[in-house]
Coordinates of all heavy atoms in Angstrom, one line a residue:
E575 N 38.4 -15.7 28.6 CA 38.4 -16.3 27.3 C 37.0 -16.6 26.9 O 36.2 -17.2 27.7 CB 39.3 -17.5 27.2 CG 40.7 -17.3 27.5 CD 41.5 -18.6 27.3 OE1 40.9 -19.6 27.4 OE2 42.8 -18.5 27.1
W576 N 36.6 -16.2 25.7 CA 35.3 -16.6 25.2 C 35.2 -16.6 23.6 O 36.1 -16.0 23.0 CB 34.2 -15.6 25.7 CG 34.3 -14.2 25.2 CD1 33.6 -13.7 24.1 CD2 35.2 -13.1 25.6 NE1 33.9 -12.4 23.8 CE2 34.9 -12.0 24.7 CE3 36.1 -13.0 26.6 CZ2 35.5 -10.8 24.9 CZ3 36.8 -11.8 26.7 CH2 36.5 -10.7 25.9
E577 N 34.3 -17.3 23.1 CA 34.2 -17.4 21.7 C 33.3 -16.2 21.3 O 32.1 -16.1 21.8 CB 33.5 -18.7 21.3 CG 33.6 -19.0 19.7 CD 33.2 -20.4 19.4 OE1 33.9 -21.3 19.6 OE2 32.0 -20.5 18.9
S578 N 33.7 -15.4 20.3 CA 33.1 -14.1 20.1 C 31.7 -14.3 19.4 O 31.7 -15.2 18.4 CB 33.9 -13.3 19.2 OG 33.3 -12.0 18.9
S579 N 30.7 -13.7 19.9 CA 29.4 -13.6 19.3 C 28.7 -12.3 19.9 O 29.2 -11.8 20.9 CB 28.6 -14.8 19.5 OG 28.1 -14.9 20.8
V580 N 27.6 -12.0 19.4 CA 26.9 -10.8 19.9 C 26.5 -11.0 21.4 O 26.9 -10.2 22.3 CB 25.6 -10.5 19.1 CG1 24.8 -9.3 19.7 CG2 26.0 -10.1 17.7
S581 N 25.9 -12.1 21.7 CA 25.4 -12.4 23.0 C 26.7 -12.7 24.0 O 26.7 -12.2 25.1 CB 24.5 -13.5 23.1 OG 25.1 -14.7 22.5
N582 N 27.7 -13.5 23.5 CA 28.8 -13.8 24.3 C 29.7 -12.5 24.6 O 30.2 -12.3 25.7 CB 29.8 -14.8 23.6 CG 29.1 -16.1 23.4 OD1 27.9 -16.3 23.9 ND2 29.7 -17.1 22.9
D583 N 29.8 -11.6 23.6 CA 30.5 -10.4 23.9 C 29.8 -9.5 24.9 O 30.5 -8.8 25.7 CB 30.6 -9.5 22.6 CG 31.6 -10.3 21.6 OD1 32.3 -11.2 22.0 OD2 31.6 -9.8 20.5
M584 N 28.5 -9.5 25.0 CA 27.7 -8.8 26.0 C 28.1 -9.3 27.4 O 28.2 -8.6 28.4 CB 26.3 -8.9 25.7 CG 25.8 -8.0 24.4 SD 24.1 -8.3 24.0 CE 23.3 -7.6 25.5
V585 N 28.0 -10.7 27.5 CA 28.3 -11.3 28.8 C 29.8 -11.0 29.2 O 30.1 -10.6 30.4 CB 28.1 -12.8 28.7 CG1 28.5 -13.4 30.0 CG2 26.7 -13.1 28.5
A586 N 30.7 -11.1 28.2 CA 32.1 -10.8 28.5 C 32.3 -9.4 29.1 O 33.0 -9.1 30.0 CB 33.0 -11.1 27.4
D587 N 31.6 -8.4 28.3 CA 31.8 -7.0 28.7 C 31.3 -6.8 30.1 O 31.9 -6.1 31.0 CB 31.0 -6.1 27.8 CG 31.7 -6.1 26.4 OD1 32.8 -6.4 26.3 OD2 30.9 -5.7 25.4
S588 N 30.1 -7.4 30.5 CA 29.6 -7.3 31.9 C 30.5 -7.9 32.9 O 30.7 -7.3 34.0 CB 28.2 -7.9 31.9 OG 28.2 -9.3 31.7
V589 N 31.2 -9.1 32.6 CA 32.1 -9.7 33.5 C 33.3 -8.7 33.7 O 33.7 -8.5 34.9 CB 32.5 -11.1 33.0 CG1 33.6 -11.7 33.8 CG2 31.3 -12.0 32.9
V590 N 33.8 -8.2 32.7 CA 35.0 -7.3 32.8 C 34.6 -6.1 33.6 O 35.4 -5.6 34.5 CB 35.4 -6.8 31.4 CG1 36.6 -5.8 31.5 CG2 36.0 -8.1 30.7
A591 N 33.5 -5.5 33.4 CA 33.0 -4.4 34.2 C 32.9 -4.7 35.7 O 33.3 -3.9 36.5 CB 31.7 -3.8 33.6
L592 N 32.4 -5.9 36.0 CA 32.2 -6.3 37.3 C 33.6 -6.5 38.0 O 33.8 -6.0 39.1 CB 31.4 -7.6 37.4 CG 31.0 -8.1 38.8 CD1 29.7 -8.7 38.8 CD2 32.0 -9.1 39.3

Side-chain angles (χ1 to χ4, degrees):
E575 295 182 342
W576 70 96
E577 192 172 285
S578 183
S579 70
V580 175
S581 57
N582 295 0
D583 291 349
M584 293 173 60
V585 176
D587 289 344
S588 65
V589 171
V590 171
L592 184 145

